[in-house]
Amino acid sequence: MSFEDQRLLPRPASEQLVDLHVYVVPGDVWVEHLRLVYNEAVKDTVSAGFVRVFPDVTIYNLREEIEEQLGYDVIPKDYVFLRGVGRALTQVKGRQEFQLKVKNFVPPLATVPEIYVIEGSLVLQSPRALPAIGHRYSEPNTSRSTTSDNPLDRSQVFS
């Protein structure tokens, strides 16, 4: 089999996984009146480790992978994701968790493969800020992987 033929073969599932570094942002760098964390504050973040996931997983379903692969002791009990936009990290809203995928946080769509989380209680939130279902402590034994990834399925987000 030639090299060209080998390139055309589908990659094994494990080779399609990407490594995503997860950082925990300390609460004292959150700027409440601006609802952001300045990019310079990433030097104060704490690494929770990395997860290996498929790039098409929504970040809503990424929560389950973070909990399974990293454990409950390295991330906040209830957290929100932050996304780098311009000069700052800003909160990912609950409905956006169904729209954004891991591939939005890894190259080539991002400079480096990383995602940030912050304790949810530190971020003043509207009812639509966090996903309404599947929180680790509110619905034990519920798997996120069985929920719809459809961002238009509002019955999940706004229940």
Side-chain angles (χ1 to χ4, degrees):
M1 183 178 291
S2 73
F3 175 74
E4 193 65 33
D5 292 336
Q6 288 177 345
R7 258 185 357 126
L8 299 176
L9 292 175
R11 295 171 59 187
S14 63
E15 288 185 15
Q16 296 174 8
L17 296 173
V18 295
D19 294 339
L20 184 65
H21 199 154
V22 180
Y23 289 97
V24 178
V25 176
D28 62 345
V29 298
W30 178 254
V31 183
E32 178 54 43
H33 71 283
L34 298 176
R35 302 179 50 78
L36 56 78
V37 173
Y38 287 109
N39 283 340
E40 297 80 34
V42 297
K43 68 183 178 351
D44 298 323
T45 61
V46 177
S47 172
F50 72 93
V51 292
R52 300 201 72 209
V53 293
F54 289 102
D56 283 330
V57 169
T58 63
I59 62 170
Y60 177 80
N61 288 325
L62 175 64
R63 289 178 174 275
E64 183 177 315
E65 292 296 329
I66 289 172
E67 293 162 9
E68 287 178 9
Q69 294 184 37
L70 299 181
Y72 300 109
D73 56 335
V74 296
I75 57 170
K77 178 180 173 182
D78 292 307
Y79 60 89
V80 295
F81 290 107
L82 300 176
R83 179 169 169 90
V85 180
R87 299 173 296 172
L89 300 173
T90 189
Q91 178 185 359
V92 175
K93 304 293 185 182
R95 66 181 151 221
Q96 293 171 322
E97 288 191 20
F98 292 97
Q99 299 167 339
L100 292 171
K101 296 183 177 185
V102 169
K103 66 183 175 184
N104 298 114
F105 294 85
V106 298
L109 298 177
T111 307
V112 290
E114 60 191 14
I115 195 164
Y116 296 89
V117 300
I118 191 168
E119 173 69 45
S121 64
L122 301 173
V123 179
L124 292 180
Q125 300 151 356
S126 70
R128 295 183 181 193
L130 289 174
I133 62 171
H135 282 283
R136 175 175 54 209
Y137 294 99
S138 63
E139 292 185 36
N141 303 324
T142 300
S143 172
R144 285 184 181 81
S145 60
T146 61
T147 61
S148 169
D149 281 346
N150 182 353
L152 301 177
D153 186 356
R154 294 174 175 253
S155 64
Q156 292 179 12
V157 180
F158 304 113
S159 60

